[in-house]
Amino acid sequence: MPLPQDLLRRLYTEPPEGFVATRDAAVAEARRSGDPATAREIARLRRPTVAAWLVNLLALRRPELVADLTQLAEALRAAQRDLRGPRLRELSAQRRAAVAALVAEARRLAADVEGGPPAGKLPLGEVEATLNAALSDAGVAEQVRSGRLLRAASYAGFGEVPRPQLRLVTGGEEPTPPAGPPAGPGHRAADRRTGRGEHAGRADQAGRKAGRADHADHAAREAGRTTREDDRAERAARKADRAERDAARATREAERAARAERARQRRALERELTRARTDQERAEAELAGAAEAEHDGAEELAGIERSLAELERRRARAEQELSRRKLARRAAERAVTAARRRTGEVEGAIEAVDAEEGAAAEGPGGAD
């Protein structure tokens, strides 16, 4: 049964100082839950070093950056296989930039982790070495992607140089001297009687000579074998030297290409800066014109508002004068009405007087 991913993520992203306590707590929890198999699996987990922890932070919190590094590694290996120098130099420059960016991101991620090591004690050199190893070794790259790296890795850059397999040549026992030709009965009798000791001495001397010859042949064969092995070792060393020189030359060419690329980028940025400054000056001039127009508009609006205020005051005075005149008109209308009423009353009185005079005049005179 696979372990819970959230537990693995928590274990390998928290500072290494808290790894053991968190792991032991998870073991105890699994045991309380009646899952001894999971408890044993969790107990087997090992605490990473600080450098491995930083790499695990990258793999678990910024997996897209690690994926980009893997793609760059595949491109580098393809360029090395195809011996494409310009492409290799370009990719080498990208490799340095990518590794530097990842190291900076690891420093930033570590700063965001509560209780992590201080920034001055982070083993960023080991992180860089591990990332470079991941670029060169697919096995290291797989460990980095897993987010469960336990220790930093490194890579020499040229692969393994074959070691000469030398054997120590030692002298063996001298061979048993070969027996001489069989002697006839007469000789054996004479040997037994007079020259047995002399004959044995000559046979022993001949045997020693044959043994020395065999030993010399054996030593010559071993010397030749040793010489061939030394030659192979020398060729391997020369091959390694050539590889190192080629790598150094590729590094220098990559650095020159990187410098040229930086110079090109600087020129492009300077041109862009010139255009940006020109646009800035144009925008500032437009801003000054717009600010001046805004000021003029504000002045014009203030003048209009002053005129409106004056008109409002004049309107208020006109309304007051109109009200006064309306009152005067109403008073005049009342006066006219009263005058007309009085005129009618006077006219009625006059008519009554005239009527009385007429009646009086007609009465006495008519009787005579």
Side-chain angles (χ1 to χ4, degrees):
M1 179 178 178
L3 294 177
Q5 291 300 314
D6 57 342
L7 172 63
L8 294 175
R9 184 180 182 89
R10 185 169 72 254
L11 280 171
Y12 288 97
T13 54
E14 70 175 8
E17 289 77 6
F19 181 92
V20 174
T22 303
R23 181 196 61 191
D24 293 347
V27 170
E29 178 64 26
R31 287 173 179 166
R32 284 194 299 270
S33 301
D35 192 353
T38 300
R40 286 193 297 272
E41 289 295 324
I42 297 173
R44 292 192 185 100
L45 299 175
R46 294 294 175 260
R47 181 178 65 181
T49 65
V50 176
W53 168 67
L54 290 170
V55 177
N56 291 336
L57 279 179
L58 287 172
L60 295 172
R61 294 190 175 176
R62 298 303 304 275
E64 72 281 3
L65 297 182
V66 176
D68 292 343
L69 191 73
T70 302
Q71 294 177 359
L72 179 59
E74 294 173 355
L76 275 168
R77 284 193 290 271
Q80 289 170 349
R81 285 194 303 269
D82 299 339
L83 299 177
R84 292 179 293 175
R87 178 60 175 165
L88 185 59
R89 288 191 294 273
E90 177 186 353
L91 291 172
S92 297
Q94 293 181 16
R95 173 185 61 80
R96 288 192 295 273
V99 170
L102 282 171
V103 171
E105 182 65 14
R107 183 193 299 112
R108 189 192 66 78
L109 290 173
D112 292 340
V113 175
E114 184 178 357
K121 294 184 178 181
L122 295 177
L124 299 178
E126 295 181 27
V127 174
E128 182 179 0
T130 301
L131 295 174
N132 282 319
L135 281 167
S136 305
D137 190 317
V140 177
E142 182 61 29
Q143 294 180 29
V144 168
R145 283 196 301 271
S146 72
R148 293 174 60 180
L149 192 68
L150 296 181
R151 60 187 58 84
S154 61
Y155 186 75
F158 304 110
E160 292 184 359
V161 178
R163 300 294 192 272
Q165 301 295 323
L166 303 180
R167 291 186 299 173
L168 180 62
V169 178
T170 59
E173 294 182 356
E174 291 184 356
T176 303
H187 287 90
R188 285 195 298 272
D191 185 58
R192 283 194 299 269
R193 287 193 303 269
T194 59
R196 185 172 183 177
E198 182 180 355
H199 177 74
R202 285 196 301 271
D204 185 63
Q205 183 179 4
R208 284 195 299 272
K209 287 182 179 179
R212 284 194 297 271
D214 291 342
H215 183 69
D217 291 341
H218 176 73
R221 287 193 299 272
E222 292 296 332
R225 186 180 301 108
T226 302
T227 301
R228 289 193 297 274
E229 291 174 349
D230 289 344
D231 290 342
R232 285 196 295 271
E234 180 64 24
R235 287 195 297 272
R238 287 198 297 270
K239 184 178 179 180
D241 290 340
R242 284 195 301 272
E244 185 174 359
R245 288 194 298 271
D246 291 343
R249 183 166 55 254
T251 300
R252 290 194 298 272
E253 291 175 354
E255 290 175 351
R256 284 197 296 271
R259 287 195 296 270
E261 177 64 18
R262 287 194 296 270
R264 185 192 65 77
Q265 291 178 354
R266 181 178 179 80
R267 289 193 297 271
L269 289 173
E270 287 176 348
R271 290 193 297 271
E272 184 66 22
L273 177 60
T274 300
R275 289 194 295 270
R277 285 176 174 170
T278 301
D279 294 341
Q280 178 184 351
E281 292 173 356
R282 185 184 303 112
E284 288 177 349
E286 292 177 356
L287 174 61
E292 184 176 359
E294 179 186 7
H295 181 267
D296 293 342
E299 287 294 329
E300 183 178 0
L301 178 61
I304 291 172
E305 288 177 346
R306 287 192 297 271
S307 298
L308 286 173
E310 179 64 25
L311 288 173
E312 286 292 333
R313 286 192 296 272
R314 291 172 59 186
R315 180 174 178 274
R317 288 196 299 270
E319 288 178 347
Q320 292 175 357
E321 182 65 21
L322 178 60
S323 296
R324 188 185 62 78
R325 291 180 180 182
K326 284 181 178 179
L327 293 174
R329 177 181 61 78
R330 292 188 186 118
E333 287 177 348
R334 288 193 296 272
V336 168
T337 300
R340 287 176 180 173
R341 188 172 55 251
R342 181 59 182 166
T343 300
E345 291 174 354
V346 172
E347 288 177 348
I350 291 173
E351 289 177 355
V353 171
D354 290 341
E356 289 179 357
E357 287 181 354
E362 290 178 358
D368 291 335

